[in-house]
Amino acid sequence: MHSRLRIIQGDITRQQADAIVNAANSSLLGGGGVDGAIHRAAGPALLAECRQLAASRGGCPTGEAVLTGAGNLPARAVIHTVGPVWRGGGQGEAELLASAYNNSLRLAAEHRFATIAFPAISTGIYGYPKAAAAAIALRTISQFLQQHDYPQQVWLVCFDEESYRLYRQHSEQSDDVG
Ligand code: ADP
C-alpha cells in the first residue's frame, strides 16, 4: 500500500481533513447513509450550496465530483462524488467507481489539499460488493498518489468493522504482490 494512504476506523464527519468526500447521489439533494450523516453534521449551509449546484448544473453525473464548503464540519471542504449503483457488475460499475475516486482526487490536487478522507463509496445503499470495492479504492488511490504530489495524505475512513478488515486484507495482499 502507498505510504501516503491510511486506513482508519471512524466517522467521516469528525475528520479534520482539508476535504472529506461524500458518497452523494446525482441529485446532490441529500440522501441516507454517509450523505445524511454529512448533511446533519454540516448544517443547512451545505444543503443550500448543494441546491444551488443542483439548479445551476443539474446535479452530478455518476463517476464525477463537485466541491463545496463544509458548513459546520471540522473539514474545510466537501467533495461530493457519485458512485455507481451495483447492477451485477456488467454495467461499467468498476470503471465508474474508479472514476469517482479519481475525479475526487483530481479536485483535491487542483486545490492543493494536503489531506482528503474517503468513505467506502457505493458499498452501502448502492450495493457494491465490499471486497471488490475495497480493491478498486486501494488500487485507484495508490496509482493516483504515485503520479501526483497532492493530496499528500489520503485517509480511508471505515465506518463498519467489515470494511476496515477488507481494506486491511487487500492492502496486505497488494504489498505481497509488490
Ligand atoms: P452509497 O449510496 O454510495 O452506497 P452509503 O452512504 O449508503 O453510500 O454507504 C457508503 C459507505 O459509507 C458504507 O460502507 C457505510 O457503512 C459508510 N458510512 C455510513 N456512514 C458513515 C460515516 N458517518 N462515516 C464514514 N462512513 C460511513
Side-chain angles (χ1 to χ4, degrees), residues 72-111:
N72 300 325
L73 292 166
R76 285 170 52 201
V78 178
I79 293 172
H80 307 261
T81 191
V82 183
V85 174
W86 179 255
R87 294 196 172 90
Q91 309 288 317
E93 290 95 332
E95 293 77 13
L96 288 166
L97 186 60
S99 291
Y101 281 99
N102 268 320
N103 285 321
S104 301
L105 289 163
R106 219 167 276 149
L107 271 181
E110 277 167 26
H111 288 82

Side-chain angles (χ1 to χ4, degrees), residues 10-13 23 32-35 37 119-127 130 157 159-160 163:
D11 179 344
I12 202 161
T13 65
V34 72
D35 195 1
I121 299 166
S122 285
T123 65
I125 299 158
Y126 281 6
K130 282 177 187 279
V157 182
F159 198 55
D160 52 291
S163 295

Side-chain angles (χ1 to χ4, degrees), residues 8-112:
I8 59 178
Q9 222 179 341
D11 179 344
I12 202 161
T13 65
R14 305 178 75 98
Q15 305 303 315
Q16 291 188 25
D18 289 310
I20 64 166
V21 175
N22 181 17
N25 59 52
S26 52
S27 75
L28 293 177
L29 297 179
V34 72
D35 195 1
I38 287 173
H39 276 284
R40 271 195 302 281
L46 181 63
L47 190 58
E49 210 178 328
C50 286
R51 284 205 176 109
Q52 273 185 350
L53 276 175
S56 64
R57 42 178 293 165
C60 180
T62 303
E64 296 187 16
V66 294
L67 183 100
T68 66
N72 300 325
L73 292 166
R76 285 170 52 201
V78 178
I79 293 172
H80 307 261
T81 191
V82 183
V85 174
W86 179 255
R87 294 196 172 90
Q91 309 288 317
E93 290 95 332
E95 293 77 13
L96 288 166
L97 186 60
S99 291
Y101 281 99
N102 268 320
N103 285 321
S104 301
L105 289 163
R106 219 167 276 149
L107 271 181
E110 277 167 26
H111 288 82
R112 290 276 188 276

